[in-house]
Amino acid sequence: MAPLLEVRNLTVAFDTPDGTVHAVNDVSYSLEEGETLGIVGESGSGKSVHALSMVGLIATPPGRIVRGEVLFNGRDLLALSQRELFEVRGKEIGFVFQDPMTSLNPVLTIERQIAEPLRRHFGMSASQARTRVVELLELVGIPDAARRARQYPHEFSGGMRQRVMIAIGISCNPKLLIADEATTALDVTVQAQILDLVRDLKKKIGTTVIWITHDMGVVAGLADTVQVMYGGRIMERGPVRAVFHDPRNAYTWGLLKSLPHGGRRGVTRLYQIPGNPPDLTKEPVGDPFAPRNPFATERCRTETPPLGEVEGSVAGHKAAAWYDLRAALAATQVQP
Amino acid sequence: MTRYLVGKLAESLLALWGVITIVFFVSRVLGDPAVLLLPVGAGQQDLDALRASLGLDRPILEQYLISVLAMVRGDFGISFQHQRPAMDVVLERMPVTATLAGTALVFGTLIGAVAGAIAALKRGTISEFIVMVAALLGQATPVFWLGIMLILVFSVDLGWFPTGGSGTIAHLVLPGLTLSVFVSASIARLLRSSLLDIMREDYVRTARAKGLLPRTVFFWHIARNALIPVITMIGIIAGELLGGSVVIETVFAWPGVGRIIMQAIQAQDFPVIQAGVALVAAIFIVVNLLVDLLYGVLDPRIRRR
Ligand SMILES: Nc1ncnc2c1ncn2[C@@H]1O[C@H](COP(=O)(O)OP(=O)(O)OP(=O)(O)O)[C@@H](O)[C@H]1O
Ligand SMILES: [Mg+2]
């Protein structure tokens, strides 16, 4: 079966007064129907831009899609007109954004905000939409849904607003749901509740999900596949188990090392990757992580490593590295 | 919301009382109306008699208490000059002032809103540049100067419109235009920056991500929020214009409230000064209360207070 989403060589840049920001560089991957993909990487690694650019949600200018294809159900989204994209957004691809405090319109009722895509894409009447809104609010675990629907965002707590955002995201039964840092702004207990909700919803409606986060722990608990991004590139990608137990890219290894041991997500960072994030205004040359990588070789600085299937791991585990991390780690006796 | 309004009303009454008090004492310091009312060379006896009949011979605090108590009852006294109730003298001028204020508000708001929206939507284009330069000039040009220039060109040179006075549409054109320029320039600039701020909001991205059409995003998500500060400004401008803009009414000999207050100050017609200032302050307060109510309609976060 053809994958639901196939991204090929997606490259996105921003033309700014300080120079061209190479935000996303040659990103290629595919996503099967029903799969949950976790995308991780530190701030500025291009996670949001890559997702937003797929459906025309970055501002152009300053943004510019340099090249690439995004095949969604076999159709190239980057070749669609704005008008055609309006039909994809919200209907076939739903979004949940980071900050539930600012992502809802303060002057419109919750009902209206959830009903908007339903009325727009399905042509529902006001009363049909109202019924569906209440159903959706119940589905995402908001008690007393009929009454709550008539309230405004400021009358909801952060966690409740994020449930509303999820209700908006799934309102039209999209084939793909993209959640961008959907739990980052929430405190740990609420975060756990939202993650439970998403797992539960996945069972109920079976949507394909891209979950963007900078938290490895969240990915471990939610995703089938993990994709690690750095400097606008995919550094490593594969089944969660394989990547977590046998990382082949030094950046992935660093991220895992910074997780508290044996545990899930934690508040304390045990290990900080030394050095600074890459300067994206420089023309990308070599492995972007090389300057911070203790295992980097001479080749890393001059030649960009391709994302290739790794040896001695499961199928689909790919990494971009010139060095052999496994051998290097064995030699130094350091364990993640 | 009710409690909020009651509080606001109490605050307003206090402000009104403050204004009346200040005006009362300042006008007494300005001079002696009896001297101005009597023909030159009138004797001391006549002056004393007139002062007594106007109540000006009593101690100033007594005069103050008497007038404040009378004002509470709605009695602003008899105009020295016109020998009629002072409030009537002022209120008669209200329709003339309101006509000019209304014209400037309607045209100024419409033009300003369209120009501001164009500037925001056509960000970075020559259209934005033209609108912004025009608005900056419109706001920076003193209204009296613009008024005089318009009179020189369109009345004196071309003879298309009367130089001053009121009564017909032709009389309204130049003063209306002058004030509209100022109003629309202020509104265009504020609306533009407010729209640009809101366009960057996360919830606008949410609206786009829903696949809504650009016009729905603009009117329901961007404009709806961007209008909130603009409404305040319209309220403030409305309050100012309805109080009679003294400068414009003087330049165009427009017989409105501002003008009658000016004349009363020159003649030291205390009751008319007091009635005029009280009316202007009251209008300002009422308009602001209306703006607050409108806020509640536009912004549910305020409704709850
Ligand atoms: N409108 C813009 N103009 C210029 N540069 C931009 C713009 N939007 C994003 N960028 C740049 O693109 C790069 C990638 O940003 P992106 O938002 O995708 O990072 P991210 O991985 O989502 O990070 P975060 O974890 O902080 O959300 C950053 O360097 C950012 O500065
Ligand atoms: Mg992001």
Side-chain angles (χ1 to χ4, degrees), chain A residues 57 86 89-90 97 102-108 112-113 116-117 120-121 152 154, chain B residues 202-203 205-206 208-214 220-221 224-225 298-301 303-304:
Chain A
L57 280 176
F86 297 152
R89 301 208 285 250
F97 290 112
T102 56
S103 294
L104 289 168
N105 189 331
V107 304
L108 301 179
R112 195 191 151 96
Q113 300 193 54
E116 271 179 333
R120 159 90 179 93
H121 296 300
Y152 291 88
H154 70 266
Chain B
D202 288 344
Y203 54 78
R205 184 182 55 186
T206 307
R208 293 209 176 94
K210 290 180 195 171
L212 302 181
L213 296 175
W220 282 95
H221 292 271
R224 184 69 208 273
N225 283 283
L298 286 176
D299 191 343
R301 287 164 297 186
R303 214 173 300 164
R304 222 169 41 142

mmCIF file of all heavy atoms in Angstrom, chain A residues 57 86 89-90 97 102-108 112-113 116-117 120-121 152 154, chain B residues 202-203 205-206 208-214 220-221 224-225 298-301 303-304:
data_model
loop_
_atom_site.group_PDB
_atom_site.id
_atom_site.type_symbol
_atom_site.label_atom_id
_atom_site.label_comp_id
_atom_site.label_asym_id
_atom_site.label_seq_id
_atom_site.Cartn_x
_atom_site.Cartn_y
_atom_site.Cartn_z
ATOM 1 N N LEU A 57 1.243 26.984 5.317
ATOM 2 C CA LEU A 57 0.967 27.832 6.483
ATOM 3 C C LEU A 57 2.146 28.707 6.904
ATOM 4 O O LEU A 57 2.069 29.400 7.903
ATOM 5 C CB LEU A 57 0.504 26.985 7.676
ATOM 6 C CG LEU A 57 -0.965 26.551 7.647
ATOM 7 C CD1 LEU A 57 -1.280 25.645 8.824
ATOM 8 C CD2 LEU A 57 -1.903 27.747 7.659
ATOM 9 N N PHE A 86 -6.977 25.163 0.854
ATOM 10 C CA PHE A 86 -8.037 25.438 1.835
ATOM 11 C C PHE A 86 -8.873 24.190 2.073
ATOM 12 O O PHE A 86 -9.432 24.005 3.144
ATOM 13 C CB PHE A 86 -8.977 26.554 1.349
ATOM 14 C CG PHE A 86 -8.316 27.887 1.177
ATOM 15 C CD1 PHE A 86 -8.810 28.793 0.246
ATOM 16 C CD2 PHE A 86 -7.233 28.253 1.945
ATOM 17 C CE1 PHE A 86 -8.220 30.029 0.074
ATOM 18 C CE2 PHE A 86 -6.629 29.491 1.781
ATOM 19 C CZ PHE A 86 -7.126 30.375 0.838
ATOM 20 N N ARG A 89 -6.544 21.701 4.334
ATOM 21 C CA ARG A 89 -6.349 22.124 5.721
ATOM 22 C C ARG A 89 -7.642 21.946 6.523
ATOM 23 O O ARG A 89 -8.714 22.323 6.072
ATOM 24 C CB ARG A 89 -5.963 23.603 5.770
ATOM 25 C CG ARG A 89 -4.688 23.913 5.010
ATOM 26 C CD ARG A 89 -3.982 25.097 5.590
ATOM 27 N NE ARG A 89 -4.608 26.369 5.285
ATOM 28 C CZ ARG A 89 -4.082 27.274 4.468
ATOM 29 N NH1 ARG A 89 -2.937 27.018 3.862
ATOM 30 N NH2 ARG A 89 -4.687 28.418 4.266
ATOM 31 N N GLY A 90 -7.484 21.386 7.701
ATOM 32 C CA GLY A 90 -8.637 21.241 8.577
ATOM 33 C C GLY A 90 -9.498 20.048 8.220
ATOM 34 O O GLY A 90 -10.121 19.443 9.081
ATOM 35 N N PHE A 97 -1.970 23.135 17.923
ATOM 36 C CA PHE A 97 -0.778 23.957 18.114
ATOM 37 C C PHE A 97 -0.352 24.030 19.564
ATOM 38 O O PHE A 97 -1.085 23.673 20.476
ATOM 39 C CB PHE A 97 -1.006 25.362 17.566
ATOM 40 C CG PHE A 97 -1.085 25.381 16.074
ATOM 41 C CD1 PHE A 97 -2.274 25.676 15.437
ATOM 42 C CD2 PHE A 97 0.019 25.076 15.311
ATOM 43 C CE1 PHE A 97 -2.357 25.692 14.058
ATOM 44 C CE2 PHE A 97 -0.056 25.077 13.934
ATOM 45 C CZ PHE A 97 -1.249 25.396 13.303
ATOM 46 N N THR A 102 -2.928 30.908 23.697
ATOM 47 C CA THR A 102 -2.974 31.920 22.645
ATOM 48 C C THR A 102 -3.499 31.371 21.320
ATOM 49 O O THR A 102 -3.688 32.122 20.382
ATOM 50 C CB THR A 102 -1.565 32.491 22.390
ATOM 51 O OG1 THR A 102 -0.696 31.395 22.076
ATOM 52 C CG2 THR A 102 -1.028 33.212 23.598
ATOM 53 N N SER A 103 -3.738 30.072 21.263
ATOM 54 C CA SER A 103 -4.139 29.492 19.981
ATOM 55 C C SER A 103 -5.636 29.497 19.744
ATOM 56 O O SER A 103 -6.101 29.074 18.688
ATOM 57 C CB SER A 103 -3.609 28.062 19.860
ATOM 58 O OG SER A 103 -2.199 28.088 19.800
ATOM 59 N N LEU A 104 -6.393 29.921 20.749
ATOM 60 C CA LEU A 104 -7.839 30.046 20.549
ATOM 61 C C LEU A 104 -8.194 31.530 20.523
ATOM 62 O O LEU A 104 -7.619 32.333 21.248
ATOM 63 C CB LEU A 104 -8.594 29.353 21.682
ATOM 64 C CG LEU A 104 -8.519 27.818 21.667
ATOM 65 C CD1 LEU A 104 -9.048 27.244 22.979
ATOM 66 C CD2 LEU A 104 -9.325 27.259 20.495
ATOM 67 N N ASN A 105 -9.156 31.868 19.687
ATOM 68 C CA ASN A 105 -9.586 33.262 19.566
ATOM 69 C C ASN A 105 -10.358 33.687 20.815
ATOM 70 O O ASN A 105 -11.381 33.079 21.139
ATOM 71 C CB ASN A 105 -10.454 33.390 18.312
ATOM 72 C CG ASN A 105 -10.768 34.828 17.977
ATOM 73 O OD1 ASN A 105 -10.835 35.674 18.869
ATOM 74 N ND2 ASN A 105 -10.956 35.108 16.715
ATOM 75 N N PRO A 106 -9.882 34.715 21.519
ATOM 76 C CA PRO A 106 -10.502 35.071 22.802
ATOM 77 C C PRO A 106 -11.933 35.592 22.692
ATOM 78 O O PRO A 106 -12.663 35.565 23.682
ATOM 79 C CB PRO A 106 -9.578 36.160 23.356
ATOM 80 C CG PRO A 106 -8.860 36.698 22.171
ATOM 81 C CD PRO A 106 -8.706 35.549 21.226
ATOM 82 N N VAL A 107 -12.335 36.064 21.532
ATOM 83 C CA VAL A 107 -13.659 36.709 21.465
ATOM 84 C C VAL A 107 -14.734 35.825 20.835
ATOM 85 O O VAL A 107 -15.868 36.269 20.670
ATOM 86 C CB VAL A 107 -13.604 38.071 20.735
ATOM 87 C CG1 VAL A 107 -12.598 38.990 21.397
ATOM 88 C CG2 VAL A 107 -13.313 37.911 19.264
ATOM 89 N N LEU A 108 -14.406 34.601 20.473
ATOM 90 C CA LEU A 108 -15.423 33.718 19.904
ATOM 91 C C LEU A 108 -15.687 32.540 20.840
ATOM 92 O O LEU A 108 -14.778 32.067 21.523
ATOM 93 C CB LEU A 108 -14.982 33.192 18.533
ATOM 94 C CG LEU A 108 -14.698 34.237 17.457
ATOM 95 C CD1 LEU A 108 -14.253 33.555 16.163
ATOM 96 C CD2 LEU A 108 -15.926 35.095 17.191
ATOM 97 N N ARG A 112 -18.338 28.019 18.443
ATOM 98 C CA ARG A 112 -18.100 28.582 17.131
ATOM 99 C C ARG A 112 -16.759 28.131 16.557
ATOM 100 O O ARG A 112 -16.630 27.819 15.383
ATOM 101 C CB ARG A 112 -18.137 30.110 17.198
ATOM 102 C CG ARG A 112 -18.249 30.695 15.819
ATOM 103 C CD ARG A 112 -18.042 32.147 15.715
ATOM 104 N NE ARG A 112 -17.500 32.339 14.386
ATOM 105 C CZ ARG A 112 -18.226 32.667 13.327
ATOM 106 N NH1 ARG A 112 -19.503 32.889 13.457
ATOM 107 N NH2 ARG A 112 -17.677 32.766 12.154
ATOM 108 N N GLN A 113 -15.757 28.114 17.441
ATOM 109 C CA GLN A 113 -14.421 27.779 16.952
ATOM 110 C C GLN A 113 -14.295 26.318 16.527
ATOM 111 O O GLN A 113 -13.537 25.997 15.620
ATOM 112 C CB GLN A 113 -13.373 28.136 18.014
ATOM 113 C CG GLN A 113 -13.419 29.626 18.329
ATOM 114 C CD GLN A 113 -12.233 30.114 19.132
ATOM 115 O OE1 GLN A 113 -11.092 29.920 18.764
ATOM 116 N NE2 GLN A 113 -12.509 30.773 20.245
ATOM 117 N N GLU A 116 -16.544 25.950 13.141
ATOM 118 C CA GLU A 116 -16.075 26.586 11.900
ATOM 119 C C GLU A 116 -15.615 25.598 10.826
ATOM 120 O O GLU A 116 -16.094 25.668 9.685
ATOM 121 C CB GLU A 116 -14.956 27.579 12.206
ATOM 122 C CG GLU A 116 -15.468 28.970 12.504
ATOM 123 C CD GLU A 116 -14.351 29.957 12.823
ATOM 124 O OE1 GLU A 116 -13.285 29.533 13.305
ATOM 125 O OE2 GLU A 116 -14.550 31.160 12.600
ATOM 126 N N PRO A 117 -14.694 24.689 11.142
ATOM 127 C CA PRO A 117 -14.290 23.756 10.080
ATOM 128 C C PRO A 117 -15.422 22.838 9.629
ATOM 129 O O PRO A 117 -15.479 22.464 8.450
ATOM 130 C CB PRO A 117 -13.147 22.951 10.726
ATOM 131 C CG PRO A 117 -13.230 23.211 12.179
ATOM 132 C CD PRO A 117 -13.902 24.518 12.358
ATOM 133 N N ARG A 120 -17.572 24.856 7.336
ATOM 134 C CA ARG A 120 -16.820 25.174 6.129
ATOM 135 C C ARG A 120 -16.656 23.946 5.229
ATOM 136 O O ARG A 120 -16.881 24.010 4.035
ATOM 137 C CB ARG A 120 -15.454 25.726 6.550
ATOM 138 C CG ARG A 120 -14.358 25.657 5.532
ATOM 139 C CD ARG A 120 -14.313 26.890 4.666
ATOM 140 N NE ARG A 120 -13.230 26.788 3.712
ATOM 141 C CZ ARG A 120 -13.377 26.299 2.483
ATOM 142 N NH1 ARG A 120 -14.553 25.916 2.060
ATOM 143 N NH2 ARG A 120 -12.345 26.221 1.681
ATOM 144 N N HIS A 121 -16.250 22.818 5.792
ATOM 145 C CA HIS A 121 -15.901 21.663 4.960
ATOM 146 C C HIS A 121 -17.077 20.731 4.697
ATOM 147 O O HIS A 121 -17.143 20.081 3.667
ATOM 148 C CB HIS A 121 -14.759 20.868 5.598
ATOM 149 C CG HIS A 121 -13.476 21.633 5.694
ATOM 150 N ND1 HIS A 121 -12.831 22.121 4.590
ATOM 151 C CD2 HIS A 121 -12.734 22.014 6.765
ATOM 152 C CE1 HIS A 121 -11.724 22.760 4.972
ATOM 153 N NE2 HIS A 121 -11.656 22.728 6.284
ATOM 154 N N TYR A 152 -16.389 30.955 26.606
ATOM 155 C CA TYR A 152 -15.256 31.510 25.873
ATOM 156 C C TYR A 152 -13.945 30.900 26.384
ATOM 157 O O TYR A 152 -13.909 30.397 27.507
ATOM 158 C CB TYR A 152 -15.235 33.034 26.043
ATOM 159 C CG TYR A 152 -16.380 33.701 25.335
ATOM 160 C CD1 TYR A 152 -17.611 33.886 25.963
ATOM 161 C CD2 TYR A 152 -16.247 34.109 24.009
ATOM 162 C CE1 TYR A 152 -18.669 34.461 25.295
ATOM 163 C CE2 TYR A 152 -17.306 34.694 23.336
ATOM 164 C CZ TYR A 152 -18.515 34.866 23.978
ATOM 165 O OH TYR A 152 -19.556 35.431 23.309
ATOM 166 N N HIS A 154 -11.349 32.024 27.795
ATOM 167 C CA HIS A 154 -10.814 32.417 29.103
ATOM 168 C C HIS A 154 -11.506 31.710 30.258
ATOM 169 O O HIS A 154 -11.045 31.774 31.388
ATOM 170 C CB HIS A 154 -10.886 33.940 29.286
ATOM 171 C CG HIS A 154 -12.271 34.474 29.442
ATOM 172 N ND1 HIS A 154 -13.012 34.948 28.396
ATOM 173 C CD2 HIS A 154 -13.055 34.589 30.533
ATOM 174 C CE1 HIS A 154 -14.192 35.336 28.838
ATOM 175 N NE2 HIS A 154 -14.243 35.133 30.129
ATOM 176 N N ASP B 202 -1.350 33.663 17.413
ATOM 177 C CA ASP B 202 -1.439 32.227 17.200
ATOM 178 C C ASP B 202 -2.832 31.801 16.728
ATOM 179 O O ASP B 202 -2.966 30.893 15.926
ATOM 180 C CB ASP B 202 -1.116 31.486 18.508
ATOM 181 C CG ASP B 202 0.361 31.562 18.843
ATOM 182 O OD1 ASP B 202 1.146 31.911 17.953
ATOM 183 O OD2 ASP B 202 0.717 31.261 19.998
ATOM 184 N N TYR B 203 -3.879 32.479 17.259
ATOM 185 C CA TYR B 203 -5.214 31.999 16.892
ATOM 186 C C TYR B 203 -5.563 32.284 15.438
ATOM 187 O O TYR B 203 -6.439 31.648 14.870
ATOM 188 C CB TYR B 203 -6.299 32.527 17.833
ATOM 189 C CG TYR B 203 -6.357 34.028 18.000
ATOM 190 C CD1 TYR B 203 -6.930 34.838 17.025
ATOM 191 C CD2 TYR B 203 -5.877 34.636 19.153
ATOM 192 C CE1 TYR B 203 -6.996 36.200 17.195
ATOM 193 C CE2 TYR B 203 -5.945 35.991 19.334
ATOM 194 C CZ TYR B 203 -6.504 36.777 18.351
ATOM 195 O OH TYR B 203 -6.585 38.129 18.507
ATOM 196 N N ARG B 205 -3.315 31.770 13.079
ATOM 197 C CA ARG B 205 -2.753 30.581 12.441
ATOM 198 C C ARG B 205 -3.717 29.397 12.620
ATOM 199 O O ARG B 205 -3.948 28.633 11.690
ATOM 200 C CB ARG B 205 -1.394 30.257 13.065
ATOM 201 C CG ARG B 205 -0.697 29.092 12.393
ATOM 202 C CD ARG B 205 0.614 28.784 13.072
ATOM 203 N NE ARG B 205 0.401 28.564 14.502
ATOM 204 C CZ ARG B 205 1.391 28.380 15.371
ATOM 205 N NH1 ARG B 205 2.638 28.438 14.979
ATOM 206 N NH2 ARG B 205 1.134 28.177 16.638
ATOM 207 N N THR B 206 -4.292 29.287 13.818
ATOM 208 C CA THR B 206 -5.275 28.228 14.035
ATOM 209 C C THR B 206 -6.413 28.342 13.021
ATOM 210 O O THR B 206 -6.825 27.355 12.425
ATOM 211 C CB THR B 206 -5.864 28.318 15.461
ATOM 212 O OG1 THR B 206 -4.798 28.332 16.407
ATOM 213 C CG2 THR B 206 -6.787 27.158 15.742
ATOM 214 N N ARG B 208 -6.403 29.695 10.083
ATOM 215 C CA ARG B 208 -5.957 29.301 8.748
ATOM 216 C C ARG B 208 -5.828 27.793 8.648
ATOM 217 O O ARG B 208 -6.167 27.193 7.639
ATOM 218 C CB ARG B 208 -4.596 29.931 8.432
ATOM 219 C CG ARG B 208 -4.661 31.410 8.293
ATOM 220 C CD ARG B 208 -3.580 31.925 7.344
ATOM 221 N NE ARG B 208 -3.765 33.360 7.195
ATOM 222 C CZ ARG B 208 -3.117 34.263 7.930
ATOM 223 N NH1 ARG B 208 -2.207 33.870 8.797
ATOM 224 N NH2 ARG B 208 -3.362 35.543 7.767
ATOM 225 N N ALA B 209 -5.312 27.182 9.734
ATOM 226 C CA ALA B 209 -5.105 25.735 9.720
ATOM 227 C C ALA B 209 -6.434 24.983 9.610
ATOM 228 O O ALA B 209 -6.463 23.820 9.248
ATOM 229 C CB ALA B 209 -4.354 25.303 10.971
ATOM 230 N N LYS B 210 -7.527 25.656 9.942
ATOM 231 C CA LYS B 210 -8.836 25.015 9.803
ATOM 232 C C LYS B 210 -9.304 24.994 8.360
ATOM 233 O O LYS B 210 -10.338 24.433 8.047
ATOM 234 C CB LYS B 210 -9.884 25.782 10.611
ATOM 235 C CG LYS B 210 -9.761 25.688 12.100
ATOM 236 C CD LYS B 210 -10.886 26.517 12.714
ATOM 237 C CE LYS B 210 -10.655 26.791 14.168
ATOM 238 N NZ LYS B 210 -11.646 27.762 14.690
ATOM 239 N N GLY B 211 -8.587 25.695 7.502
ATOM 240 C CA GLY B 211 -8.986 25.746 6.099
ATOM 241 C C GLY B 211 -10.042 26.805 5.824
ATOM 242 O O GLY B 211 -10.688 26.785 4.782
ATOM 243 N N LEU B 212 -10.214 27.737 6.767
ATOM 244 C CA LEU B 212 -11.207 28.801 6.549
ATOM 245 C C LEU B 212 -10.772 29.676 5.376
ATOM 246 O O LEU B 212 -9.582 29.820 5.091
ATOM 247 C CB LEU B 212 -11.334 29.660 7.806
ATOM 248 C CG LEU B 212 -11.728 28.918 9.080
ATOM 249 C CD1 LEU B 212 -11.846 29.904 10.240
ATOM 250 C CD2 LEU B 212 -13.040 28.174 8.880
ATOM 251 N N LEU B 213 -11.751 30.274 4.717
ATOM 252 C CA LEU B 213 -11.432 31.151 3.592
ATOM 253 C C LEU B 213 -10.797 32.435 4.124
ATOM 254 O O LEU B 213 -11.103 32.860 5.238
ATOM 255 C CB LEU B 213 -12.702 31.485 2.815
ATOM 256 C CG LEU B 213 -13.349 30.266 2.155
ATOM 257 C CD1 LEU B 213 -14.675 30.650 1.516
ATOM 258 C CD2 LEU B 213 -12.408 29.668 1.118
ATOM 259 N N PRO B 214 -9.947 33.073 3.329
ATOM 260 C CA PRO B 214 -9.259 34.282 3.801
ATOM 261 C C PRO B 214 -10.218 35.349 4.309
ATOM 262 O O PRO B 214 -9.918 36.028 5.293
ATOM 263 C CB PRO B 214 -8.522 34.757 2.552
ATOM 264 C CG PRO B 214 -8.285 33.533 1.763
ATOM 265 C CD PRO B 214 -9.462 32.639 2.016
ATOM 266 N N TRP B 220 -13.615 37.569 10.862
ATOM 267 C CA TRP B 220 -13.994 36.984 12.144
ATOM 268 C C TRP B 220 -12.837 36.845 13.112
ATOM 269 O O TRP B 220 -13.027 36.865 14.319
ATOM 270 C CB TRP B 220 -14.660 35.630 11.944
ATOM 271 C CG TRP B 220 -16.064 35.816 11.510
ATOM 272 C CD1 TRP B 220 -16.542 35.824 10.233
ATOM 273 C CD2 TRP B 220 -17.186 36.078 12.354
ATOM 274 N NE1 TRP B 220 -17.885 36.073 10.226
ATOM 275 C CE2 TRP B 220 -18.312 36.230 11.508
ATOM 276 C CE3 TRP B 220 -17.355 36.200 13.737
ATOM 277 C CZ2 TRP B 220 -19.581 36.500 12.011
ATOM 278 C CZ3 TRP B 220 -18.623 36.465 14.227
ATOM 279 C CH2 TRP B 220 -19.716 36.613 13.361
ATOM 280 N N HIS B 221 -11.648 36.649 12.592
ATOM 281 C CA HIS B 221 -10.552 36.390 13.519
ATOM 282 C C HIS B 221 -9.611 37.580 13.651
ATOM 283 O O HIS B 221 -9.146 37.871 14.736
ATOM 284 C CB HIS B 221 -9.794 35.132 13.103
ATOM 285 C CG HIS B 221 -10.637 33.895 13.267
ATOM 286 N ND1 HIS B 221 -10.676 33.175 14.424
ATOM 287 C CD2 HIS B 221 -11.508 33.299 12.429
ATOM 288 C CE1 HIS B 221 -11.523 32.161 14.294
ATOM 289 N NE2 HIS B 221 -12.050 32.208 13.090
ATOM 290 N N ARG B 224 -12.179 41.434 13.905
ATOM 291 C CA ARG B 224 -12.969 41.380 15.125
ATOM 292 C C ARG B 224 -12.130 41.758 16.359
ATOM 293 O O ARG B 224 -12.575 42.491 17.235
ATOM 294 C CB ARG B 224 -13.507 39.947 15.231
ATOM 295 C CG ARG B 224 -14.432 39.622 16.331
ATOM 296 C CD ARG B 224 -15.755 40.290 16.173
ATOM 297 N NE ARG B 224 -16.288 40.473 17.505
ATOM 298 C CZ ARG B 224 -16.998 39.558 18.149
ATOM 299 N NH1 ARG B 224 -17.336 38.458 17.552
ATOM 300 N NH2 ARG B 224 -17.406 39.779 19.377
ATOM 301 N N ASN B 225 -10.907 41.262 16.409
ATOM 302 C CA ASN B 225 -10.038 41.573 17.543
ATOM 303 C C ASN B 225 -9.323 42.908 17.381
ATOM 304 O O ASN B 225 -9.104 43.621 18.352
ATOM 305 C CB ASN B 225 -9.001 40.462 17.725
ATOM 306 C CG ASN B 225 -9.597 39.234 18.376
ATOM 307 O OD1 ASN B 225 -9.822 39.210 19.578
ATOM 308 N ND2 ASN B 225 -9.898 38.228 17.587
ATOM 309 N N LEU B 298 -17.966 43.278 22.393
ATOM 310 C CA LEU B 298 -16.884 42.800 21.528
ATOM 311 C C LEU B 298 -15.942 41.831 22.234
ATOM 312 O O LEU B 298 -15.381 40.947 21.613
ATOM 313 C CB LEU B 298 -16.063 43.989 21.011
ATOM 314 C CG LEU B 298 -16.708 44.831 19.945
ATOM 315 C CD1 LEU B 298 -15.823 46.024 19.617
ATOM 316 C CD2 LEU B 298 -16.937 44.012 18.686
ATOM 317 N N ASP B 299 -15.728 42.034 23.516
ATOM 318 C CA ASP B 299 -14.738 41.239 24.215
ATOM 319 C C ASP B 299 -15.330 40.549 25.436
ATOM 320 O O ASP B 299 -15.563 41.176 26.463
ATOM 321 C CB ASP B 299 -13.564 42.137 24.632
ATOM 322 C CG ASP B 299 -12.392 41.309 25.120
ATOM 323 O OD1 ASP B 299 -12.597 40.121 25.431
ATOM 324 O OD2 ASP B 299 -11.282 41.850 25.183
ATOM 325 N N PRO B 300 -15.553 39.253 25.334
ATOM 326 C CA PRO B 300 -16.196 38.520 26.435
ATOM 327 C C PRO B 300 -15.375 38.529 27.714
ATOM 328 O O PRO B 300 -15.905 38.340 28.789
ATOM 329 C CB PRO B 300 -16.312 37.100 25.885
ATOM 330 C CG PRO B 300 -15.300 36.999 24.803
ATOM 331 C CD PRO B 300 -15.209 38.374 24.208
ATOM 332 N N ARG B 301 -14.056 38.780 27.609
ATOM 333 C CA ARG B 301 -13.240 38.786 28.814
ATOM 334 C C ARG B 301 -13.624 39.943 29.715
ATOM 335 O O ARG B 301 -13.474 39.890 30.923
ATOM 336 C CB ARG B 301 -11.756 38.883 28.457
ATOM 337 C CG ARG B 301 -11.214 37.595 27.890
ATOM 338 C CD ARG B 301 -9.899 37.825 27.207
ATOM 339 N NE ARG B 301 -10.049 38.724 26.075
ATOM 340 C CZ ARG B 301 -9.051 39.001 25.231
ATOM 341 N NH1 ARG B 301 -7.873 38.494 25.409
ATOM 342 N NH2 ARG B 301 -9.264 39.805 24.206
ATOM 343 N N ARG B 303 -16.739 41.348 29.714
ATOM 344 C CA ARG B 303 -18.128 41.170 30.138
ATOM 345 C C ARG B 303 -18.227 40.596 31.542
ATOM 346 O O ARG B 303 -19.152 40.844 32.269
ATOM 347 C CB ARG B 303 -18.805 40.213 29.147
ATOM 348 C CG ARG B 303 -20.258 40.532 28.906
ATOM 349 C CD ARG B 303 -20.784 39.646 27.800
ATOM 350 N NE ARG B 303 -20.047 39.847 26.554
ATOM 351 C CZ ARG B 303 -20.096 38.977 25.536
ATOM 352 N NH1 ARG B 303 -20.796 37.870 25.630
ATOM 353 N NH2 ARG B 303 -19.433 39.219 24.433
ATOM 354 N N ARG B 304 -17.251 39.758 31.887
ATOM 355 C CA ARG B 304 -17.342 39.049 33.146
ATOM 356 C C ARG B 304 -17.095 39.933 34.360
ATOM 357 O O ARG B 304 -17.530 39.641 35.459
ATOM 358 C CB ARG B 304 -16.341 37.902 33.152
ATOM 359 C CG ARG B 304 -16.927 36.644 33.732
ATOM 360 C CD ARG B 304 -16.036 35.485 33.500
ATOM 361 N NE ARG B 304 -14.640 35.841 33.696
ATOM 362 C CZ ARG B 304 -13.766 35.022 34.259
ATOM 363 N NH1 ARG B 304 -14.171 33.874 34.719
ATOM 364 N NH2 ARG B 304 -12.502 35.354 34.352
#
